[in-house]
Amino acid sequence: MGTVTVSAAKSYDIVIGAGILENAGELMRGAVGVGSAAIVADGDVSGLYGDRCEAILRGSGYRTARFTFPGGERSKDAGTLISILDFLARERLSRTDVVVALGGGVTGDLAGFAAACYMRGVRYVQVPTTLLAMVDSSVGGKTAINLAAGKNLAGAFHQPALVVCDVSLLSTLTESAYRDGCAEVIKYGAIADRGLFDSLEEPIKGNYEAVVTRCVEIKRDIVAIDEFEDGPRKALNFGHTVGHAIEALSAYEVTHGHAVAAGMAIAARAAERMGILAAGGAGEIIRKLRLYGLPTTTGYGAAELAAACTSDKKRDGGAITMAFPTRIGSCVLKAVPMDGLESVIRSGLG
Ligand code: GLY
């Protein structure tokens, strides 16, 4: 078991290890004290781990209640958010109590945003059950729901009080969900750590604890200097500009990691053609994505992708800030004018 401490508006620990769900109650007592714990989980995760999680928390003195919703990105909407808020009110959760997000990125975003809104902010604990949530979305305090106009358009920065990453929970991941997480891991290697990138020649699933720890350390360092994404944190959006467009155009049929994989390949090819990325870099990233069975392009055209990017949060007036790798393990941020975005995307499509 290891701990990575994030220094943001408030400091909090990310505890990583195999089998540590058993310690979740005690870890929570240390982080937030004892009270009521409102667990939010999708139906699948609730069936797999809900009873166990409740029993563990009760064993540590918590009163528990559980809200279950249908899994999938399409649930990350205003309707589910309001249902969670109503549930918290019905359960009479107070400001001394805690919301527990038990699940993947959708659950963490929804439960975290509900915690940010309910009574103008209550504490929440992330218990991620997917690789993607462990390495990325459960850390750093971004919470959100999707709007009809685009992904994550309503949300808040609200840091968790604790993150409990029990890597043994990853044994139940579907192959597709595993690949979603691998895409984010490849992202960290590509933008920040050549050693991590190279180590991914060995399957991530044989090395979960070390890989999750390294990704979380990279994210900790970035969040510590730019919690609110005014600058350096935008590097974590490598592949996400086009990735979010693919997700939205597919009505979320293409899952986040797969969309980001295609977005990274497109951004890498474009970067190489613009002379930002050293020759051969795009090929290395694309080969790594293929090693994990991830897509490296999309059937959507440059014009529709660029149009879908106009509602992206990363747009700032007439330009959108994109992260481009300069070599494996390093990246740069560039403001791409909206009227030049289509040609950048086209150059990356293959
Ligand atoms: N997922 C990117 C970030 O948290 O900034």
Side-chain angles (χ1 to χ4, degrees), residues 81 229 263 307 319:
L81 174 72
E229 200 177 270

PDB file of all heavy atoms in Angstrom, residues 81 229 263 307 319:
ATOM      1  N   LEU A  81     -28.056  14.035 -12.024  1.00  0.00           N
ATOM      2  CA  LEU A  81     -27.513  14.914 -10.977  1.00  0.00           C
ATOM      3  C   LEU A  81     -28.610  15.315  -9.990  1.00  0.00           C
ATOM      4  O   LEU A  81     -28.439  15.224  -8.766  1.00  0.00           O
ATOM      5  CB  LEU A  81     -26.889  16.168 -11.610  1.00  0.00           C
ATOM      6  CG  LEU A  81     -26.428  17.210 -10.598  1.00  0.00           C
ATOM      7  CD1 LEU A  81     -25.179  16.751  -9.852  1.00  0.00           C
ATOM      8  CD2 LEU A  81     -26.160  18.553 -11.271  1.00  0.00           C
ATOM      9  N   GLU A 229      -6.605  24.737 -13.943  1.00  0.00           N
ATOM     10  CA  GLU A 229      -6.370  24.598 -15.379  1.00  0.00           C
ATOM     11  C   GLU A 229      -6.258  25.954 -16.092  1.00  0.00           C
ATOM     12  O   GLU A 229      -6.867  26.194 -17.131  1.00  0.00           O
ATOM     13  CB  GLU A 229      -7.498  23.758 -16.025  1.00  0.00           C
ATOM     14  CG  GLU A 229      -7.066  23.177 -17.358  1.00  0.00           C
ATOM     15  CD  GLU A 229      -8.135  22.283 -17.998  1.00  0.00           C
ATOM     16  OE1 GLU A 229      -8.113  21.095 -17.717  1.00  0.00           O
ATOM     17  OE2 GLU A 229      -8.967  22.803 -18.751  1.00  0.00           O
ATOM     18  N   GLY A 263      -7.958  10.730 -30.619  1.00  0.00           N
ATOM     19  CA  GLY A 263      -7.586  12.147 -30.532  1.00  0.00           C
ATOM     20  C   GLY A 263      -6.082  12.336 -30.360  1.00  0.00           C
ATOM     21  O   GLY A 263      -5.487  13.259 -30.942  1.00  0.00           O
ATOM     22  N   ALA A 307     -16.228  21.458 -36.017  1.00  0.00           N
ATOM     23  CA  ALA A 307     -17.486  22.103 -35.602  1.00  0.00           C
ATOM     24  C   ALA A 307     -17.860  21.648 -34.190  1.00  0.00           C
ATOM     25  O   ALA A 307     -18.312  22.452 -33.360  1.00  0.00           O
ATOM     26  CB  ALA A 307     -18.599  21.765 -36.592  1.00  0.00           C
ATOM     27  N   ALA A 319      -9.837  30.987 -30.199  1.00  0.00           N
ATOM     28  CA  ALA A 319      -8.802  29.947 -30.313  1.00  0.00           C
ATOM     29  C   ALA A 319      -9.076  28.832 -29.309  1.00  0.00           C
ATOM     30  O   ALA A 319      -9.827  29.015 -28.345  1.00  0.00           O
ATOM     31  CB  ALA A 319      -7.418  30.544 -30.056  1.00  0.00           C
TER      32      ALA A 319
END
